[in-house]
C-alpha cells in the first residue's frame, strides 16, 4: 500500500504499523498513525528534533495543516508527520496521511483516522520512526487537501 506522489490529485492507500515517535520524549511518545494533542504548545518549537515542513494549507476556515519530515537531534532517526492547527472555538475532526522517502526510495506510508483537534490547539499525526542517515522528505494530505511535499531534512 502506498501514497502516490501526484500533487493535488494524490491517491492514497494506507497501512498502519506500531512504533515510537522521535518527535516526543518519554513513555507518552506517539505511535505510527496516531494523533498526539499538543494543546497550545507548538509541536515544532517544543521539540529537540529538526522539523522541515511544507507551507501551511487551509483545510477549512480557521483550520490549517502542514506535512513535515523530522530528524532526531542525534541525526540517525527520521519520521513523517502532519500538523493540524485548529483556531476555531470548537472541536474539529480531521484525518491525515503521509509518506516518508529518500530521493531514491519510499520508506513507508501512514495514516491517522479521523480525530477531534481541540479548539485553539495543535495536534500531530505521526508516522513510524525509522533509522535513516540519508535526507528524507514527506508528502501528505488531510481532509482531501494535498499538503504538498516538505523540504528535505
Amino acid at each position: 500500500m502506498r501514497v502516490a506522489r501526484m500533487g493535488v490529485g494524490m491517491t492514497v492507500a494506507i497501512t498502519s504499523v506500531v512504533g515510537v515517535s522521535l518527535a516526543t520524549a518519554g513513555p507518552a511518545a506517539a505511535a505510527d498513525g496516531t494523533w498526539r494533542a499538543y494543546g497550545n504548545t507548538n509541536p515544532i518549537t517544543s521539540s529537540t528534533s529538526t522539523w522541515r515542513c511544507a507551507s501551511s494549507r487551509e483545510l477549512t476556515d480557521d483550520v490549517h495543516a502542514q506535512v513535515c519530515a523530522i530528524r532526531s537531534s542525534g541525526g540517525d532517526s527520521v519520521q513523517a508527520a502532519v500538523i493540524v492547527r485548529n483556531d476555531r472555538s470548537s472541536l474539529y475532526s480531521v484525518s491525515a496521511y503521509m509518506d516518508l522517502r529518500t530521493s531514491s526510495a519510499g520508506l513507508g506510508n501512514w495514516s491517522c483516522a479521523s480525530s477531534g483537534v481541540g479548539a485553539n490547539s495543535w495536534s500531530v499525526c505521526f508516522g513510524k520512526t525509522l533509522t535513516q542517515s540519508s535526507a528524507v522528505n514527506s508528502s501528505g494530505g488531510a481532509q482531501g487537501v494535498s499538503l504538498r511535499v516538505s523540504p528535505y531534512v
Side-chain angles (χ1 to χ4, degrees):
M1 306 190 107
R2 63 182 227 257
V3 173
R5 291 179 178 229
M6 300 175 71
V8 176
M10 197 177 291
T11 59
V12 179
I14 301 270
T15 187
S16 215
V17 185
V18 177
V20 178
S21 167
L22 67 92
T24 59
D32 298 339
T34 301
W35 288 105
R36 174 154 194 259
Y38 278 80
N40 279 322
T41 302
N42 183 317
I44 297 173
T45 59
S46 65
S47 174
T48 59
S49 299
T50 301
W51 296 56
R52 294 290 182 257
C53 302
S55 59
S56 182
R57 302 281 316 268
E58 185 175 71
L59 302 182
T60 190
D61 290 343
D62 298 322
V63 180
H64 295 82
Q66 60 192 130
V67 66
C68 304
I70 308 166
R71 184 167 297 279
S72 65
S73 57
D76 59 346
S77 297
V78 294
Q79 187 173 33
V82 171
I83 301 173
V84 178
R85 174 65 190 180
N86 177 10
D87 287 322
R88 293 177 164 200
S89 59
S90 59
L91 189 73
Y92 180 77
S93 290
V94 62
S95 58
Y97 60 88
M98 66 276 182
D99 71 357
L100 190 66
R101 62 180 300 118
T102 65
S103 62
S104 61
L107 303 176
N109 308 297
W110 300 274
S111 68
C112 286
S114 187
S115 179
V117 177
N120 299 302
S121 70
W122 277 282
S123 284
V124 180
C125 170
F126 288 102
K128 182 178 181 182
T129 301
L130 303 171
T131 301
Q132 179 61 245
S133 59
S134 298
V136 297
N137 70 359
S138 179
S139 65
Q143 298 304 94
V145 175
S146 170
L147 300 178
R148 299 189 181 130
V149 180
S150 74
Y152 281 95
V153 66

